[in-house]
Amino acid sequence: MGNIDHYPETGNYYNFWVSVNTVLFQSFILGLIFGVLEEYIFKNLLQKKPFLIKLILKTIFYMVIIFAIAIISSLLLNIWRMNLTPSDSDVIRTIVNFTVSFSFLTALSYTFVFIGISLFYSEMVDYIGLRAITNFFTGKYSKSKVEHRAFMFLDMKSSTTIAEKIGHKQYYQLLNDYYRDMTSAIVSTEGEIYQYVGDEIVVSWGYKKGIKDNNCVRCFFLIKHQMGKHSSFYQQKFGVVPRFKAGIHSGQVTAGSVGVIKKEILFTGDVLNTTARIQSQCNEVGADLLISQTLEAVLDLEKKYEVQAKGSFELRGRDEMIDLFSVHRL
């Protein structure tokens, strides 16, 4: 603005603090609207749309909202400044001049670009995960490194029987809904989805995040709660309610980026094999959740969970015996 004390296009008096407060108010309203749309409307309405279609539709829709909020805010501000009615010719002239002004159209243009980039990033996070995006930009795993992590291998029970009963197309849709309903539990416990392997999902935590507030165990029971809450949906849509079992263990892994055409973060180490074997023991001991003695010793489970020692087991691929514990919610 330089030394100018008014807007050249409209002739309205310029006040820095009024402008700041107006922008803050607009940002709050837009953030609230966008948040509600993303969480409650677009998540379900556009879930099955192709990536590009979702990106275009959401960008256009958001730009229409931004344009409408800008015009409404300008209208209210000019009515207040001029102390006139909305139908007054001076107010209408000011709004028209504002709408066709170079500064407004320029701002609208770079807002369009920014919204498009933001939505592209948001959709990419949904498709390949926040951790993968972050690691790509930061180069965290460009060189291999040793980390201490916790892993949960969670597997659907009787998946082969279910697939044969409902058919592969319906089974695919069941898996899609099944994994979708797990997401909030994984996010709220600071977990990361490492892999989908058919009907099995592998969730990972950095060691401190995994044991904090019993996150790795709490995640399992939050997922169980979600499935219970949606049991009638699964029964009505598929004729079955998915059940699952899980094994949780922690230890050191080597993490690094592998691949050329399709890069991926890979964890290698005995802890993954051991966790998979722990999960496979669930049927043998009649438990839905088994954890290793390594985790049982550091987690604070007594207040909210019942922990039962299941004995020492010689897991396939391991020379050493491992103590396993079942965990139940009190």
Side-chain angles (χ1 to χ4, degrees):
M1 294 295 289
N3 295 323
I4 302 175
D5 61 355
H6 62 279
Y7 293 98
E9 293 88 352
T10 61
N12 287 341
Y13 175 70
Y14 170 75
N15 181 284
F16 174 77
W17 291 112
V18 171
S19 298
V20 167
N21 290 330
T22 301
V23 169
L24 289 175
F25 176 75
Q26 289 175 333
S27 300
F28 173 77
I29 296 298
L30 287 171
L32 187 63
I33 292 172
F34 290 174
V36 170
L37 287 173
E38 284 290 337
E39 187 65 25
Y40 299 105
I41 306 297
F42 291 147
K43 183 179 287 187
N44 297 320
L45 189 63
L46 301 179
Q47 183 184 10
K48 298 180 181 179
K49 296 292 184 183
F51 178 89
L52 188 60
I53 298 298
K54 279 200 290 186
L55 188 63
I56 292 172
L57 289 177
K58 289 168 76 171
T59 301
I60 292 173
F61 198 82
Y62 284 154
M63 286 307 300
V64 170
I65 294 175
I66 289 171
F67 181 82
I69 293 294
I71 298 302
I72 292 170
S73 299
S74 179
L75 176 65
L76 295 175
L77 193 60
N78 282 291
I79 290 172
W80 171 67
R81 281 173 171 170
M82 298 179 180
N83 197 24
L84 298 172
T85 63
S87 59
D88 192 278
S89 59
D90 286 340
V91 173
I92 295 174
R93 175 187 57 79
T94 301
I95 295 300
V96 171
N97 290 341
F98 169 71
T99 305
V100 300
S101 67
F102 176 78
S103 57
F104 176 70
L105 295 177
T106 302
L108 207 62
S109 298
Y110 68 68
T111 300
F112 175 80
V113 173
F114 181 77
I115 288 290
I117 293 172
S118 299
L119 288 173
F120 178 81
Y121 175 80
S122 175
E123 292 299 320
M124 288 301 293
V125 167
D126 284 346
Y127 272 83
I128 64 177
L130 178 60
R131 181 176 62 86
I133 291 283
T134 304
N135 293 336
F136 171 76
F137 284 111
T138 61
K140 181 179 179 180
Y141 294 110
S142 56
K143 294 182 179 180
S144 62
K145 57 191 300 186
V146 176
E147 295 183 344
H148 196 170
R149 303 188 70 87
F151 289 89
M152 175 171 68
F153 280 60
L154 188 145
D155 184 53
M156 186 188 296
K157 293 181 179 180
S158 305
S159 57
T160 303
T161 303
I162 293 173
E164 291 175 351
K165 178 181 178 181
I166 66 177
H168 65 90
K169 289 186 177 180
Q170 278 286 85
Y171 182 64
Y172 163 79
Q173 187 58 56
L174 183 145
L175 282 180
N176 202 28
D177 293 333
Y178 175 68
Y179 288 140
R180 180 200 63 206
D181 290 338
M182 291 182 183
T183 303
S184 61
I186 295 169
V187 171
S188 65
T189 54
E190 303 184 74
E192 303 166 2
I193 297 172
Y194 173 48
Q195 286 180 336
Y196 296 106
V197 187
D199 61 337
E200 182 177 69
I201 184 172
V202 182
V203 184
S204 174
W205 292 264
Y207 182 70
K208 290 184 178 179
K209 288 183 178 180
I211 64 173
K212 185 183 75 173
D213 299 327
N214 301 316
N215 273 336
C216 57
V217 169
R218 191 161 59 89
C219 180
F220 175 86
F221 289 101
L222 286 175
I223 291 173
K224 196 170 185 178
H225 174 73
Q226 281 291 101
M227 291 301 159
K229 191 167 67 172
H230 295 109
S231 60
S232 58
F233 163 79
Y234 286 99
Q235 189 64 52
Q236 183 178 1
K237 186 173 181 180
F238 304 106
V240 294
V241 178
R243 309 294 179 189
F244 49 87
K245 59 186 184 294
I248 309 177
H249 183 42
S250 69
Q252 287 191 334
V253 292
T254 299
S257 176
V258 296
V260 178
I261 296 176
K262 180 183 181 296
K263 289 188 177 294
E264 184 177 347
I265 306 302
L266 183 69
F267 296 125
T268 60
D270 179 64
V271 61
L272 287 115
N273 295 326
T274 301
T275 310
R277 303 289 181 260
I278 292 172
Q279 183 256 104
S280 68
Q281 287 294 125
C282 287
N283 289 338
E284 301 296 326
V285 300
D288 288 338
L289 174 62
L290 287 176
I291 66 173
S292 65
Q293 193 276 333
T294 304
L295 272 177
E296 191 274 338
V298 296
L299 294 174
D300 182 20
L301 301 174
E302 289 76 14
K303 295 179 181 178
K304 294 183 179 180
Y305 305 96
E306 178 187 354
V307 181
Q308 295 180 344
K310 292 297 181 179
S312 297
F313 297 82
E314 185 179 349
L315 302 180
R316 183 162 54 90
R318 282 180 59 93
D319 296 328
E320 299 177 1
M321 302 287 284
I322 184 169
D323 294 334
L324 299 181
F325 297 80
S326 65
V327 183
H328 305 273
R329 190 76 187 251
L330 291 175

